[in-house]
Amino acid sequence: MTTTAPFWLGTSWKMTKTLGEAGAYADALRSAVEAEDVPPDLRLFVLPAATSLAVVHDRLAGSGVTIGSQNAHPGPDLAVTGEVSMDMVRDAGASLVEIGHAERRTLLGETDDMVADKVAAAVSAGLTPLLCVGETAAERAHGETADVLTRQVRTALGRLEAAVPDELLVAYEPHWAIGSNGRAAVPEEVAEGIAVVRDELDRHLPGARTAVLYGGSVNAGNAADLVTGLDVDGLFVGRAAWTVAGLLDLAHRCADALRNRGLRQPNPDLVSAIVRKDQR
Ligand code: PGA
């Protein structure tokens, strides 16, 4: 039995992978889990495209790997052509749903209000929101990072009303650090953002089970520094985990780094709630 807190490590596949590629990734990841090639103190998650959610869920059922959707529509009106609902992604096997990713905000015009609707709808549907927040390069240059993060977190949680989520994950992902045009951050640049997000969560969801992740150009070269240099409960990865070998390499780097830092104490309630939910 491990004595460390579960550390989230996951990847959004974004708009990649055919059904065959998704199934092959899931099979290889399952084999790695069965071969005990995944460090036990890590909580792995994979966010396939909607088209491969069900097949990935089927192939990874019972493996302990958490499956999530990259998006879902908040409804309640179901006459929304081209969208999938929170209930639909849950039915396809998602227990997480990513909300408010930088690419959706900038390329698709997703607003703070839309994000708030999605967070509330996700919680109502019994899904764990993986809320993404982060400032643009221009906002950072103008010294607005803390204000932007405060506004994004506060607005996102603003429609929960009395409903307190079972758990909530927030990924701090500065827009300027994401993707092939992004610049990988060093811990000193993003530690304050993590602290702002944590403060907002404590203020608006006191006592709730929350985890704060970092994302944006996480790779084999910087993962260990991010783990040891930041007060985070996980890393959220894109490109560097689009192969199983990449994900496993990061998993081992994270596990090694976790042993070298002042470990955050495990929250037994969070651990058991997550395990219960995944065993449903
Ligand atoms: P990246 O993507 O790791 O490829 O920069 C991260 C993300 O978008 O979450």
Side-chain angles (χ1 to χ4, degrees), residues 1 17 26 39 55 79 84 97 102 123-124 143 166 180 182 187 217 229:
M1 187 174 133
K17 301 201 191 303
V55 75
V84 292
V97 59
V123 173
S124 300
D166 280 353
S180 50
S217 293

Side-chain angles (χ1 to χ4, degrees), residues 14 98 101 103 173 177-179 215-218 236-240 242:
K14 305 194 182 183
E98 184 180 1
H101 187 272
E103 286 148 11
E173 302 202 307
I178 293 174
S217 293
V218 174
F236 187 22
V237 190
R239 293 157 295 154
W242 284 353

Side-chain angles (χ1 to χ4, degrees), residues 143-224:
E144 296 166 5
T145 299
D147 287 346
V148 168
L149 295 176
T150 300
R151 187 200 73 229
Q152 288 179 345
V153 175
R154 186 188 305 149
T155 311
L157 304 181
R159 303 215 170 127
L160 286 172
E161 292 161 5
V164 177
D166 280 353
E167 72 210 24
L168 180 87
L169 311 184
V170 180
Y172 171 40
E173 302 202 307
H175 292 202
W176 48 270
I178 293 174
S180 50
N181 295 324
R183 177 180 68 75
V186 293
E188 294 72 24
E189 292 177 288
V190 291
E192 189 199 343
I194 297 287
V196 169
V197 170
R198 265 195 204 289
D199 279 357
E200 278 308 296
L201 289 174
D202 288 347
R203 184 165 303 131
H204 297 290
L205 289 176
R209 295 186 293 262
T210 57
V212 180
L213 285 61
Y214 177 75
S217 293
V218 174
N219 59 52
N222 63 18

Side-chain angles (χ1 to χ4, degrees), residues 72-74 76 78 84-94 121-122 124-127:
H73 194 276
L78 300 182
V84 292
S85 71
M86 296 286 170
D87 286 341
M88 291 163 87
V89 298
R90 186 167 189 269
D91 180 54
S124 300
L127 292 161

